[in-house]
Amino acid sequence: EMQLVESGGGLVQPGRSLRLSCAASGFTFDDYAMHWVRQAPGKGLEWVSGISWNSGTIGYADSLKGRFTISRDNAKNSLYLQMNSLRAEDTALYYCAKDRHIAVAGDFDYWGQGTLVTVSS
Amino acid sequence: DIQMTQSPSSLSASVGDRVTITCRASQSISSYLNWYQQKPGKAPKLLIYAASSLQTGVPSRFSGSGSGTDFTLTISSLQPEDFATYYCQLSYRTPRVFTFGPGTKVDIK
């Protein structure tokens, strides 16, 4: 069974950093691009970042202004999101999502259950 | 930037109704359009990709159509498990733009 399990969320003060992880199982991880998508409480969905199968192509939402870094470790079947200079507006449920393709195509065919990040003093 | 709009923002319908949700892009996006369903407290689920292709395992009462700027998600006969919020999403690859629409909430009449 395909599984994506996010971890690393929590309460963090503005300006601090947090690293999210996503552990994948049940499929050949390095055959697919992966993404982070977030959802602020009571709001809609926002794509954050995506990475191709071999990390050769990476994309970010313009709104992040270079504060976040996506990475993956295919040997560990894991996806990561390093979030720096966190702001209150980064408060959201962060989903790990699998792409249908090996490249960053934006077709999110499987999602984890999310990890909640709360940025507050 | 390409903007995505959806209409209506919410609707009330009965089991068995035919439901149509519209998504519009601010410029032509060919068929780079996906549809997702999200139930409260759950992760989104891909229903339709490339405007009209049904994702594996999704019931055939769901269908998608359109190209260019105007797209439609249709549920031919609404079932109790279909009450949810539906999002369209741009999957434009060059440049990488994966904007979601604002969502359409479908609830019980």
Side-chain angles (χ1 to χ4, degrees):
Chain A
E1 181 192 359
M2 198 177 298
Q3 270 202 314
L4 296 171
V5 180
E6 302 93 337
S7 61
L11 175 63
V12 61
Q13 293 179 326
R16 303 296 291 264
S17 299
L18 207 59
R19 189 194 196 207
L20 305 184
S21 300
C22 171
S25 60
F27 65 99
T28 305
F29 184 68
D30 55 9
D31 274 354
Y32 298 96
M34 297 294 295
H35 301 264
W36 291 98
V37 178
R38 69 184 181 183
Q39 187 169 34
K43 301 297 185 183
L45 299 164
E46 179 186 20
W47 176 74
V48 172
S49 182
I51 185 168
S52 64
W53 70 282
N54 64 350
S55 305
T57 301
I58 288 175
Y60 298 97
D62 290 342
S63 62
L64 298 180
K65 299 186 191 298
R67 297 182 295 119
F68 290 10
T69 302
I70 192 172
S71 61
R72 66 189 293 163
D73 185 337
N74 288 343
K76 295 182 178 179
N77 288 348
S78 292
L79 177 72
Y80 306 101
L81 186 68
Q82 177 68 41
M83 303 186 296
N84 298 331
S85 302
L86 283 162
R87 306 168 179 170
E89 55 264 35
D90 296 318
T91 294
L93 186 64
Y94 284 74
Y95 291 105
C96 168
K98 171 187 166 295
D99 204 305
R100 290 181 59 246
H101 305 278
I102 201 165
V104 179
D107 296 343
F108 313 124
D109 68 342
Y110 196 78
W111 301 58
Q113 289 305 304
T115 187
L116 182 63
V117 173
T118 303
V119 184
S120 174
S121 55
Chain B
D1 289 1
I2 301 174
Q3 305 300 318
M4 308 298 292
T5 58
Q6 285 183 236
S7 60
S9 56
S10 64
L11 66 90
S12 296
S14 300
V15 172
D17 284 352
R18 181 181 182 87
V19 170
T20 299
I21 298 168
T22 297
C23 177
R24 178 164 290 172
S26 59
Q27 64 189 70
S28 178
I29 60 170
S30 185
S31 296
Y32 294 110
L33 194 283
N34 302 328
W35 289 97
Y36 298 84
Q37 175 194 66
Q38 187 178 32
K39 297 179 181 179
K42 300 294 186 182
K45 173 185 175 183
L46 177 65
L47 300 176
I48 302 286
Y49 62 92
S52 60
S53 295
L54 192 67
Q55 172 68 357
T56 302
V58 174
S60 59
R61 62 181 180 273
F62 291 93
S63 64
S65 64
S67 66
T69 60
D70 295 318
F71 301 86
T72 300
L73 173 70
T74 300
I75 309 172
S76 60
S77 177
L78 197 67
Q79 298 301 300
E81 60 268 30
D82 300 337
F83 292 97
T85 298
Y86 293 85
Y87 294 93
C88 63
Q89 178 239 336
L90 168 62
S91 62
Y92 213 67
R93 298 165 194 194
T94 306
R96 266 165 237 100
V97 180
F98 305 138
T99 310
F100 288 88
T104 295
K105 185 176 181 181
V106 177
D107 61 21
I108 301 172
K109 192 172 187 177

